[in-house]
């Protein structure tokens, strides 16, 4: 993520669109008469960071070069930025892409998203999970289903309030070297050992396959896949096929709901780390109903060694 560092050691994390100035609306507020109310802005364009002078009285400099009012200059890590006077000299410490963060309203360290996901209040207790969608927007999934969230939204989780700092929805350019595998438009083949202690999963896209190695958190997907298969074989229509009450699922797994949420989070995390796009679509929850189902329609379950 983009980080500015002042000469006194103060560090400041950049949002995708960042206002610098003296006004209270500034993301980086510099309370000095030499700094204009809206002095400069820094933004991420999908490939890099740019600084723009907003017609400030005392100017914006990159290294020793004055940025013309109204114009933008590309900036890279290690460069010095001066807003007004040398007292407000900052160094672009990191020029990596902005990432989603959740900042506790009452203070404390920000929680940083990884692989397009962010669990609140933490990964071991994912009461609310944020997912980045393929179009760059974000959704938050809780007990009542998933809803869209925007930059600077405030959410309440586990007795805490968090302010969300979400990057602008800039869709990354896909490389042609590896065809993307995007949920839910895949086929999933699950293989289960005789005593159901091990689960292997192949996620099969149009042009390539991703194999998920056996992990304990994958087993709930077997139960959900079987529910889908049984309903399809019984002729249940797709909108109603495969739904399982979460209390029943917890009973089958001999666990409690908080642990079940953690298992689901680990499943999605493993998919994301394997390069699968849109892991949030792995599961669907019915709003205001205690039911969940596998989001992938094409699914098979076989015994390990029989495939």
């Amino acid at each position: 993520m983009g980080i500015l560092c002042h000469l006194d050691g103060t560090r400041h994390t950049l949002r995708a669109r960042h206002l610098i100035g003296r006004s209270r609306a500034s993301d980086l507020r510099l309370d000095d008469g030499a700094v204009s109310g809206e002095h400069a802005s820094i933004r991420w364009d999908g490939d890099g960071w740019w600084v723009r002078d907003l017609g400030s009285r005392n100017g914006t400099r990159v290294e020793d070069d004055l940025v013309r009012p109204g114009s933008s200059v590309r900036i890279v890590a290690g460069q010095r930025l001066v807003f007004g006077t040398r007292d407000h000299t900052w160094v672009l410490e990191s020029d990596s892409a902005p990432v989603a963060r959740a900042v506790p309203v009452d203070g404390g360290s920000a929680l940083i998203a990884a692989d397009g996901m962010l669990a609140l209040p933490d990964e071991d207790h994912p009461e609310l999970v944020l997912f980045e969608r393929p179009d760059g927007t974000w959704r938050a999934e809780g007990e009542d289903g998933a809803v869209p969230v925007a930059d600077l939204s405030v959410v309440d989780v586990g007795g805490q309030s968090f302010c969300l700092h979400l990057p602008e929805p800039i869709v990354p350019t896909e490389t042609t070297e590896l065809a993307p595998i995007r949920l839910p438009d895949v086929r999933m083949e699950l293989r289960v050992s005789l005593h159901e202690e091990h689960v292997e999963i192949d996620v099969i896209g149009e042009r390539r396959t991703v194999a998920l190695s056996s992990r304990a958190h994958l087993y709930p997907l077997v139960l959900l896949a079987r529910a889908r298969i049984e309903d399809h074989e019984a002729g249940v229509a797709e909108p109603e096929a495969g739904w399982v009450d979460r209390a029943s699922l917890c009973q089958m797994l001999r666990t409690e709901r908080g642990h079940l949420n953690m298992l689901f989070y680990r499943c999605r995390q493993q998919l994301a780390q394997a390069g699968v796009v849109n892991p949030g679509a792995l599961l669907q929850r019915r709003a205001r109903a205690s039911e969940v189902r596998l989001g992938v329609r094409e699914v098979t379950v076989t015994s390990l060694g029989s495939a």
Side-chain angles (χ1 to χ4, degrees), residues 131-283:
F131 299 102
E132 185 178 17
R133 293 167 56 83
D135 62 2
T137 59
W138 288 78
R139 292 178 70 83
E141 181 187 88
E143 291 295 310
D144 295 327
V147 296
V149 286
D151 188 33
L152 301 182
S153 297
V154 175
V155 296
D156 298 318
V157 186
Q160 285 183 277
S161 295
F162 296 87
C163 181
L164 306 180
H165 295 260
L166 305 177
E168 286 189 337
I170 300 173
V171 181
T173 303
E174 295 178 347
T175 63
T176 57
E177 295 179 0
L178 291 176
I181 297 180
R182 180 179 288 108
L183 294 185
D185 303 321
V186 299
R187 188 170 81 254
M188 292 184 70
E189 296 182 355
L190 295 82
R191 297 182 294 278
V192 189
S193 64
L194 178 63
H195 299 291
E196 309 216 332
E197 297 173 342
H198 302 285
V199 180
E200 294 178 357
I201 299 179
D202 284 346
V203 184
I204 303 169
E206 185 177 350
R207 288 187 287 171
R208 68 186 184 97
T209 298
V210 166
L212 304 182
S213 57
S214 180
R215 295 287 189 274
H217 56 245
L218 295 176
Y219 186 67
L221 301 186
V222 176
L223 302 180
L224 294 178
R226 286 172 175 161
R228 258 197 176 278
I229 293 169
E230 289 172 6
D231 280 356
H232 286 156
E233 291 177 347
V236 177
E238 167 57 25
E240 299 301 319
W243 292 104
V244 179
D245 182 79
R246 276 178 282 177
S248 299
L249 192 57
C250 287
Q251 188 173 13
M252 287 185 279
L253 294 167
R254 297 181 181 179
T255 190
E256 48 86 30
R257 184 166 294 187
H259 187 252
L260 179 63
N261 288 338
M262 186 272 289
L263 295 176
F264 285 158
Y265 179 77
R266 299 297 183 197
C267 289
R268 286 160 155 164
Q269 190 177 49
Q270 187 176 359
L271 282 166
Q273 291 171 350
V276 175
V277 180
N278 197 25
L282 175 68
L283 300 164

Side-chain angles (χ1 to χ4, degrees), residues 30-87:
L30 305 177
D31 193 10
D32 186 325
V35 176
S36 298
E38 294 186 354
H39 193 101
S41 66
I42 297 178
R43 68 179 178 87
W44 173 262
D45 72 347
D47 294 312
W49 293 96
W50 295 76
V51 62
R52 180 183 181 89
D53 184 84
L54 300 177
S56 64
R57 181 180 295 274
N58 293 307
T60 301
R61 288 174 172 78
V62 177
E63 295 296 334
D64 293 322
D65 297 326
L66 187 66
V67 179
R68 289 187 297 106
S71 66
S72 298
V73 174
R74 176 73 178 267
I75 52 176
V76 297
Q79 287 186 314
R80 290 179 292 112
L81 282 72
V82 180
F83 305 108
T85 69
R86 297 291 176 183
D87 290 338

Side-chain angles (χ1 to χ4, degrees), residues 10-47:
T10 302
R11 300 172 82 244
H12 186 81
T13 301
L14 293 172
R15 295 172 56 222
R17 287 185 180 272
H18 215 80
L19 178 64
I20 296 109
R22 198 175 69 252
S23 75
R24 294 184 181 275
S26 299
D27 300 293
L28 175 55
R29 190 179 179 202
L30 305 177
D31 193 10
D32 186 325
V35 176
S36 298
E38 294 186 354
H39 193 101
S41 66
I42 297 178
R43 68 179 178 87
W44 173 262
D45 72 347
D47 294 312

